[in-house]
Amino acid sequence: GGIHKEGVVAKRALEEFRTTVARLLQVQESGVVFTSGGTESNNLAIRGVVESLRTAGRDYESMTIVSTKLEHPATLRTLEDIAARGVRVIFAPVKSDGQLDLPVLRTLIDPNVVLVTLAYVNSEVGVITDCRAVRRILDEVEKKTDTKILLHIDGAQAPLWLPCDLSRLGADLLSLDGGKCGGGKGIGALVMKKGVVLEPVLRGGGQEMGLRPGTEPVHLVAAFVTALTEAQSGWQSRSEAVSSVRDYAFAEITKQIPSAVVNGPL
């Protein structure tokens, strides 16, 4: 921020918004990085983890990332690019209803896995990932092998419908997008637990703890954080209302059109 009065006021506002997100999602202020949206957050999470390990001396070939084929293009295209550099990318199978096959996932996690990246809610069919169950599998492997496996959750579709605090999810990194929770387009965040180390994707000024250079759009941050706060305060009642409409619709459709197929889990 500039050292003139307006700059100081804007900087103070920005840090207040950061504190709001940190409290809401149960992380430290330094764990909230404002980005241009979900796509950038996913890139920063995946590339940031891989490149920070490389900076620490690991080579690409020694790293494995686990994901699924049902991820958003922002994740899939990033993984393609990372794989072209030599990182091993494994896609865990999903069942016919789109849900993650947890017992099979368990067999894929070995000491070379540095990151598991999954969507909390699938943007096409609405499958909800049991993030806690995934975290339990990772914890189990971590204990046995004395390794650290990070869990990145793409939470873009979640804030209006599900709780997003990181401790409840068991996530180390969470991507959020303003456009998906009523907070405007072109703004989002990557939220991280303490101790997660990332290498920046972009280079420039020292904004956002050096992880996301570029002058912060305080007006967009204000809209996004206000919307995120509202989304998280009312997710339960919103979810219940929509669930009952969904259940009614599915019941009626199945009654009237017996041959109808539900795309996704009930």
Side-chain angles (χ1 to χ4, degrees):
I3 51 171
H4 44 74
K5 193 177 91 181
E6 289 78 4
V8 171
V9 170
K11 180 73 177 162
R12 191 177 302 139
L14 182 72
E15 293 316 319
E16 280 170 13
F17 288 125
R18 195 186 311 282
T19 303
T20 301
V21 176
R23 285 191 186 141
L24 191 65
L25 303 181
Q26 308 278 294
V27 295
Q28 294 189 321
E29 274 97 342
S30 58
V32 179
V33 181
F34 292 115
T35 67
S36 64
T39 293
E40 189 188 342
S41 293
N42 286 355
N43 270 268
L44 180 55
I46 297 166
R47 294 176 196 278
V49 166
V50 167
E51 295 303 333
S52 78
L53 287 168
R54 196 150 170 268
T55 301
R58 294 260 314 243
D59 52 11
Y60 288 136
E61 289 71 21
S62 74
M63 301 182 221
T64 301
I65 296 178
V66 177
S67 191
T68 77
K69 287 271 174 72
L70 290 191
E71 302 310 309
H72 188 276
T75 295
L76 293 176
R77 296 294 91 78
T78 303
L79 292 175
E80 261 172 36
D81 186 45
I82 293 279
R85 290 165 199 227
V87 173
R88 186 161 175 239
V89 175
I90 303 177
F91 292 106
V94 293
K95 297 183 280 198
S96 61
D97 64 2
Q99 286 189 311
L100 196 57
D101 193 327
L102 289 171
V104 177
L105 176 73
R106 175 67 185 81
T107 65
L108 300 175
I109 308 295
D110 65 30
N112 292 330
V113 176
V114 294
L115 179 71
V116 175
T117 176
L118 301 165
Y120 190 1
V121 181
N122 179 276
S123 60
E124 302 291 331
V125 292
V127 177
I128 299 169
T129 299
D130 185 348
C131 303
R132 291 258 9 127
V134 174
R135 181 74 257 171
R136 281 195 292 275
I137 290 171
L138 302 186
D139 287 345
E140 203 183 297
V141 177
E142 279 185 349
K143 271 204 191 79
K144 278 185 188 153
T145 58
D146 198 28
T147 47
K148 182 82 194 106
I149 306 167
L150 295 175
L151 177 59
H152 166 243
I153 297 297
D154 176 355
Q157 302 286 346
L160 285 163
W161 315 107
L162 292 162
C164 292
D165 52 297
L166 273 75
S167 46
R168 197 186 311 204
L169 287 179
D172 298 286
L173 302 110
L174 177 72
S175 294
L176 294 168
D177 186 296
K180 302 289 191 297
C181 62
K185 294 174 176 66
I187 184 71
L190 179 63
V191 183
M192 300 168 286
K193 269 193 175 162
K194 191 182 181 204
V196 174
V197 182
L198 296 181
E199 192 74 18
V201 172
L202 303 173
R203 305 287 167 170
Q207 295 94 341
E208 296 302 294
M209 290 77 68
L211 285 173
R212 207 291 179 176
T215 305
E216 298 98 333
V218 182
H219 59 302
L220 294 180
V221 170
F224 167 55
V225 175
T226 305
L228 182 65
T229 305
E230 278 186 22
Q232 282 293 276
S233 69
W235 72 265
Q236 214 149 1
S237 52
R238 212 177 286 112
S239 259
E240 282 163 12
V242 167
S243 300
S244 62
V245 173
R246 176 203 58 196
D247 295 346
Y248 171 76
F250 279 171
E252 286 301 305
I253 290 167
T254 329
K255 210 186 294 173
Q256 312 285 346
I257 315 163
S259 60
V261 177
V262 175
N263 190 12
L266 286 163

